[in-house]
Amino acid sequence: MSAVIEPGRVEPGHVEQAHGDHHGPAKGLMRWVLTTNHKDIGSMYLWFSFCAFLLGGSMAMVIRAELFQPGLQIVQPEFFNQMTTMHGLIMVFGAVMPAFVGLANWMIPLMIGAPDMALPRMNNFSFWLLPAAFGLLVSTLFMEGGGPNFGWTFYAPLSTTYAPESVTFFIFAIHLMGISSIMGAINVIATILNLRAPGMTLMKMPLFVWTWLITAFLLIAVMPVLAGVVTMMLMDIHFGTSFFSAAGGGDPVLFQHVFWFFGHPEVYIMILPAFGAVSSIIPAFSRKPLFGYTSMVYATAAIAFLSFIVWAHHMFVVGIPLVGELFFMYATMLIAVPTGVKVFNWVSTMWQGSLSFETPMLFAVAFVILFTIGGFSGLMLAIAPADFQYHDTYFVVAHFHYVLVPGAIFGIFASAYYWLPKWTGHMYDETLGKLHFWLSFVGMNMAFFPMHFVGLAGMPRRIPDYNLQFADFNMISSIGAFTFGATQIFFLFIVIKCIRGGKPAPAKPWDGAEGLEWTIPSPAPYHTFQVPPDMNPVHEHRKGPGDEVLP
Amino acid sequence: MTPPHEEYYVPAQSKWPIIATLGLLITVFGLGTWFNDLSAAREKSHGPLIFFVGALFIAYMLFGWFGNVVRESRAGLYSAQMDRSFRWGMGWFIFSEVMFFAAFFGVLFYVRYWAGPWLAGDGAKGVAHMLWPNFEYSWPLLNNPDPKLFPAPKGVIDPWKLPLINTLLLVSSSFTVTFAHHALKKGQRKPLKLWLAATILLGATFIALQVTEYIEAYHELGLTLGSGIYGATFFMLTGFHGAHVTMGALILTVMLVRILRGHFSADQHFGFEAASWYWHFVDVVWIGLFVFVYVL
């Protein structure tokens, strides 16, 4: 390939040493700062995500402590607003998204037989931008006037005309994490499209790889739109433009359109990779191939497509034309079809399977059941006239916490337990893992299920005080939230215990598991698949019984 | 039979990403401080200094990181597979830029076809007319709902003068960069240099004319960022486009310098190709701007 270079024309200069020249990781702190290794970067993403999870979680604890009883007792309303805003931002951009990028970094090269991510230095850049962005974001809490207090959706004019001065740094923090996400997504797409082992055709890829391919496309399509909307805020705040001010011919509702054009695909960015992981885990513990592999791929693509044409279902009460209300209502309901395909496929995979319930499977089964509850409440919210009643109540809070906590986060927990043996070389403590699951399961349902009731009864979200009749349910919610929160410290303990020791893990610790990642030793060596494996004869048995009925 | 893969180049460690991160962080912190001090009319601001330090970091990183990639490429470390990774990377980067501009075009269409007429009492949400009962909608918007807050422009840029010339300049620059590419593929170095230099010259002329147009808008027409939604969308779209043309022209200049130093060959020149992709992209965006911002 490079035969075109005439000898002697190469300037003397530094060329970064290729990894083939040495085998282990570098020593010391600089290993992590300078690394280009997808496993190092994946681990850093996962640890970063966990730190953000605890930080965002502690803010949720402040919120639940204040809501433990009616009346104002612990924090001022101004600070409460900052807590709800930062809790949302940190959980969405700091906990859930980086966790999936970490899983992608670790697992995609292992699953497709690639030596690393396609652009390893850019991969390091994507990661290190995150601590920078979040350092900037969290520092706004200590600035004069306080941090962002306008809700994680930062609607104008709350976030422009009435925002604290720190909003400028909030905007730039969003820019930085957007750059990070776009570069990370480009890397994922280039890796999947270009670095698959010979014979690993697209329709032989594990579903986690498929869902990430589609997620990465969504990220590249909508993160620039988010960058656009915060840039317009910046211009409105500092340079006198009137994008979101009707006095100059703009429109505050325009903010919501642009924001939700990003925001709705964002919802799927946070759940599609979990779909993929669960689609690997359920077959492994059912000891059956996934039912309907092909339909899973098409359903994921259909969900991604639909996610672009439903954004205004977040804005039914803001005043959009009736035609718009109807279009967005029906388009939203359509999403239930491909999502239903997925849920039925998971259930059919388990049907007549030889099931066992290790921790990853517990989280995966809970995912299917509880995510479906979140899906159903979503369907309720999609009905425009009904949404007039539910809008901005705790019913909405219950809905999106059901899709994000037992959806995205249980998906991440299931993945973590499923692949921890591969990462650490040790089995985690199964008893403790199950305890973590049950405490999380009970805590999370106790925290979020009562919110449906108080929401339907009219309790508004984002308000630090509430009417007396909501007191009992709120106290139950708070106790559930405290349980769930404390349980996650316990998860930290389980992971550290697993890293430090435990039963040695074989290359393939789960007898029903499939995929290239189980053909390499546990723990995965620092460099894997430097020569890609030939996939041509393998994987023919991946076709499941659901595939025959499809063209 | 699948051909065996060549070994894929994975660099062991790199200092450039962390320098890039620090550079970006310092830059945006400086900008944020600067903007806040400007808006609060504070006399002293450390913003410009911090911004400048961050920009230095970024400049150092760009030279270092790209220089490194150029050296690796010329040392023959990149396989055909690596080349495809770069192609996918650049292609999807341009797609992200397309979506960035799409957001602003979306804003323009929304304002022109929905928000504007509603404010003047037309259409499904015409009830908004009660806010400013005297407001009449027209595009270009020469009377704002609240002229005290947002004084309207006296006029707008005539599309058939400078913008038409600019269109001709950019479209012909897309041709010249393609001629340069063909020359490179045939190994004709001299026409390559000439066509590329012509492309850069056309780009630079375009930027100069845009600056002239902005001066006219601000000083003679009262068309500013603060002159209501027409000025806001006009400057946002043309401003970001102009920034991208500037960036594209700089990239092409780097390519010209590399070509003068004897870089690139007839069958390996993705750096040049990526630059020309980017150039075509800014050209296509301009066509959209000319039609929807200036003419219609």
Side-chain angles (χ1 to χ4, degrees):
Chain A
M1 47 263 54
S2 311
V4 287
I5 292 175
E6 314 96 294
R9 300 259 7 197
V10 181
E11 296 96 322
H14 176 67
V15 166
E16 295 188 342
Q17 201 180 19
H19 74 220
D21 302 348
H22 63 111
H23 291 285
K27 298 272 177 289
L29 180 70
M30 291 317 269
R31 163 186 173 182
W32 302 99
V33 177
L34 305 178
T35 187
T36 53
N37 181 286
H38 72 104
K39 302 181 184 83
D40 282 353
I41 294 172
S43 301
M44 288 197 293
Y45 264 112
L46 290 168
W47 279 111
F48 175 83
S49 151
F50 193 74
C51 295
F53 184 53
L54 290 188
L55 179 63
S58 56
M59 292 172 178
M61 296 301 106
V62 173
I63 296 168
R64 284 319 317 173
E66 176 56 49
L67 295 174
F68 190 76
Q69 283 183 327
L72 292 179
Q73 40 255 324
I74 297 172
V75 293
Q76 291 302 305
E78 293 76 22
F79 189 69
F80 186 89
N81 286 343
Q82 294 174 37
M83 287 293 101
T84 51
T85 305
M86 292 295 265
H87 165 73
L89 290 169
I90 290 174
M91 286 304 197
V92 167
F93 295 105
V96 174
M97 288 168 67
F100 284 125
V101 183
L103 290 172
N105 259 294
W106 248 104
M107 299 318 297
I108 288 176
L110 296 187
M111 287 177 154
I112 64 173
D116 205 295
M117 296 296 275
L119 302 159
R121 279 176 290 221
M122 194 172 83
N123 201 16
N124 173 301
F125 190 18
S126 304
F127 170 74
W128 279 106
L129 271 178
L130 277 184
F134 278 85
L136 193 59
L137 180 64
V138 174
S139 74
T140 60
L141 283 175
F142 305 101
M143 290 179 185
E144 213 177 306
N149 55 4
F150 27 68
W152 87 273
T153 51
F154 50 100
Y155 281 5
L158 282 179
S159 61
T160 52
T161 315
Y162 304 103
E165 202 180 57
S166 65
V167 67
T168 312
F169 296 102
F170 156 84
I171 290 170
F172 284 120
I174 296 281
H175 275 131
L176 292 188
M177 61 186 78
I179 297 171
S180 158
S181 289
I182 292 171
M183 289 195 301
I186 288 175
N187 226 331
V188 166
I189 295 195
T191 307
I192 297 174
L193 293 182
N194 191 29
L195 263 62
R196 296 192 312 281
M200 170 76 77
T201 58
L202 286 175
M203 292 310 275
K204 284 179 185 167
M205 296 194 308
L207 264 171
F208 182 71
V209 182
W210 254 116
T211 51
W212 242 114
L213 180 64
I214 292 166
T215 303
F217 167 75
L218 291 180
L219 276 168
I220 301 176
V222 301
M223 293 311 283
V225 178
L226 177 69
V229 77
V230 292
T231 307
M232 286 185 276
M233 279 168 56
L234 187 76
M235 299 302 285
D236 270 15
I237 295 169
H238 293 296
F239 299 100
T241 56
S242 53
F243 287 107
F244 308 132
S245 166
D251 187 356
V253 176
L254 173 60
F255 173 91
Q256 299 182 27
H257 280 292
V258 187
F259 176 82
W260 285 114
F261 186 83
F262 145 80
H264 200 79
E266 169 70 16
V267 171
Y268 293 94
I269 287 165
M270 291 192 284
I271 200 65
L272 292 184
F275 285 174
V278 163
S279 301
S280 289
I281 294 166
I282 288 181
F285 296 95
S286 305
R287 291 154 187 87
K288 267 179 68 191
L290 182 70
F291 185 92
Y293 172 89
T294 316
S295 64
M296 284 296 211
V297 173
Y298 288 122
T300 311
I303 292 173
F305 168 74
L306 289 172
S307 75
F308 283 106
I309 54 163
V310 295
W311 75 88
H313 67 210
H314 298 268
M315 305 160 51
F316 281 147
V317 301
V318 83
I320 55 175
L322 182 64
V323 186
E325 307 250 329
L326 290 172
F327 172 79
F328 287 108
M329 172 169 92
Y330 289 122
T332 304
M333 289 177 169
L334 267 184
I335 298 186
V337 178
T339 313
V341 169
K342 288 187 156 287
V343 172
F344 283 120
N345 280 343
W346 289 319
V347 174
S348 308
T349 304
M350 286 187 272
W351 177 256
Q352 292 195 330
S354 177
L355 303 183
S356 62
F357 292 95
E358 286 86 349
T359 312
M361 183 63 161
L362 287 174
F363 275 111
V365 175
F367 169 94
V368 175
I369 298 167
L370 299 176
F371 177 79
T372 305
I373 294 181
F376 280 138
S377 58
L379 210 46
M380 289 171 70
L381 287 160
I383 303 166
D387 180 73
F388 286 21
Q389 171 71 19
Y390 311 145
H391 188 90
D392 247 349
T393 69
Y394 259 83
F395 189 79
V396 179
V397 178
H399 157 70
F400 68 72
H401 280 93
Y402 260 85
V403 289
L404 285 173
V405 179
I409 290 175
F410 275 21
I412 294 163
F413 284 152
S415 310
Y417 283 108
Y418 186 57
W419 286 309
L420 259 178
K422 184 55 65 191
W423 300 338
T424 65
H426 304 122
M427 300 304 288
Y428 61 86
D429 188 321
E430 191 64 61
T431 318
L432 298 187
K434 282 181 176 157
L435 190 62
H436 172 225
F437 167 75
W438 284 111
L439 285 172
S440 296
F441 181 85
V442 171
M444 165 265 135
N445 278 297
M446 205 166 138
F448 300 119
F449 208 77
M451 290 181 185
H452 291 109
F453 306 133
V454 290
L456 289 177
M459 177 171 158
R461 63 190 285 210
R462 290 173 172 158
I463 307 286
D465 192 4
Y466 50 83
N467 222 328
L468 286 179
Q469 75 265 32
F470 304 130
D472 291 348
F473 279 136
N474 269 289
M475 192 176 281
I476 296 170
S477 270
S478 288
I479 294 169
F482 298 149
T483 312
F484 184 81
T487 306
Q488 306 324 317
I489 312 275
F490 180 53
F491 174 59
L492 177 65
F493 169 76
I494 298 174
V495 172
I496 291 175
K497 185 167 182 276
C498 178
I499 292 170
R500 293 172 66 99
K503 208 177 97 193
K508 185 174 142 179
W510 318 114
D511 55 346
E514 265 197 70
L516 276 180
E517 75 262 38
W518 309 112
T519 62
I520 54 169
S522 300
Y526 196 59
H527 296 296
T528 39
F529 297 125
Q530 278 162 305
V531 179
D534 195 343
M535 295 302 296
N536 283 314
V538 204
H539 270 249
E540 273 314 302
H541 58 293
R542 176 172 278 287
K543 267 192 191 299
D547 285 339
E548 275 88 74
V549 294
L550 280 157
Chain B
M1 266 300 288
T2 321
H5 278 204
E6 309 109 334
E7 176 136 343
Y8 194 79
Y9 177 70
V10 181
Q13 286 195 324
S14 179
K15 66 176 178 182
W16 300 115
I18 195 73
I19 293 173
T21 302
L22 286 174
L24 274 180
L25 179 62
I26 298 169
T27 304
V28 298
F29 185 75
L31 274 181
T33 312
W34 192 359
F35 291 172
N36 277 346
D37 291 343
L38 272 180
S39 290
R42 288 183 200 111
E43 277 179 19
K44 269 186 74 178
S45 174
H46 301 297
L49 182 67
I50 303 172
F51 167 73
F52 184 67
V53 171
L56 280 183
F57 264 81
I58 292 179
Y60 171 61
M61 175 277 292
L62 286 173
F63 275 99
W65 195 336
F66 281 112
N68 209 66
V69 171
V70 170
R71 277 191 295 275
E72 284 170 0
S73 170
R74 292 179 55 73
L77 294 171
Y78 292 165
S79 61
Q81 194 182 18
M82 189 77 216
D83 191 62
R84 283 197 298 277
S85 287
F86 284 139
R87 280 164 195 276
W88 281 121
M90 189 67 195
W92 286 102
F93 166 66
I94 290 178
F95 175 63
S96 81
E97 293 269 45
V98 168
M99 292 306 294
F100 184 71
F101 277 98
F104 298 123
F105 275 108
V107 166
L108 179 67
F109 297 146
Y110 178 85
V111 168
R112 289 185 59 173
Y113 296 105
W114 284 295
W118 290 346
L119 271 174
D122 293 330
K125 293 292 157 189
V127 65
H129 196 46
M130 68 179 166
L131 289 169
W132 291 278
N134 298 324
F135 174 66
E136 282 175 36
Y137 171 75
S138 64
W139 193 268
L141 196 59
L142 297 177
N143 58 317
N144 288 326
D146 187 340
K148 281 199 204 82
L149 278 175
F150 297 99
K154 289 199 286 283
V156 296
I157 301 286
D158 181 356
W160 305 113
K161 287 179 181 164
L162 278 190
L164 179 66
I165 298 171
N166 267 342
T167 309
L168 296 174
L169 288 176
L170 266 199
V171 171
S172 35
S173 78
S174 248
F175 281 99
T176 53
V177 81
T178 306
F179 295 152
H181 191 194
H182 284 299
L184 174 55
K185 283 205 279 197
K186 287 188 198 134
Q188 301 163 336
R189 306 291 290 197
K190 201 163 178 208
L192 163 64
K193 288 170 201 166
L194 287 176
W195 285 123
L196 187 54
T199 312
I200 297 167
L201 200 63
L202 288 168
T205 318
F206 172 90
I207 297 163
L209 289 183
Q210 274 306 77
V211 172
T212 321
E213 184 183 290
Y214 275 21
I215 294 172
E216 187 198 341
Y218 259 78
H219 291 286
E220 282 159 38
L221 300 171
L223 177 62
T224 67
L225 277 169
S227 62
I229 195 65
Y230 186 88
T233 51
F234 175 82
F235 284 107
M236 199 68 153
L237 278 159
T238 56
F240 269 109
H241 177 264
H244 281 73
V245 175
T246 310
M247 176 96 88
L250 280 175
I251 297 172
L252 288 176
T253 309
V254 172
M255 294 304 139
L256 184 61
V257 172
R258 288 187 63 190
I259 286 164
L260 292 173
R261 287 191 186 176
H263 291 207
F264 299 127
S265 66
D267 49 1
Q268 210 192 24
H269 50 256
F270 182 65
F272 174 86
E273 233 180 307
S276 75
W277 287 2
Y278 195 78
W279 194 253
H280 290 309
F281 153 71
V282 296
D283 194 16
V284 170
V285 173
W286 174 261
I287 305 286
L289 284 179
F290 183 63
V291 174
F292 294 111
V293 175
Y294 289 97
V295 178
L296 293 179

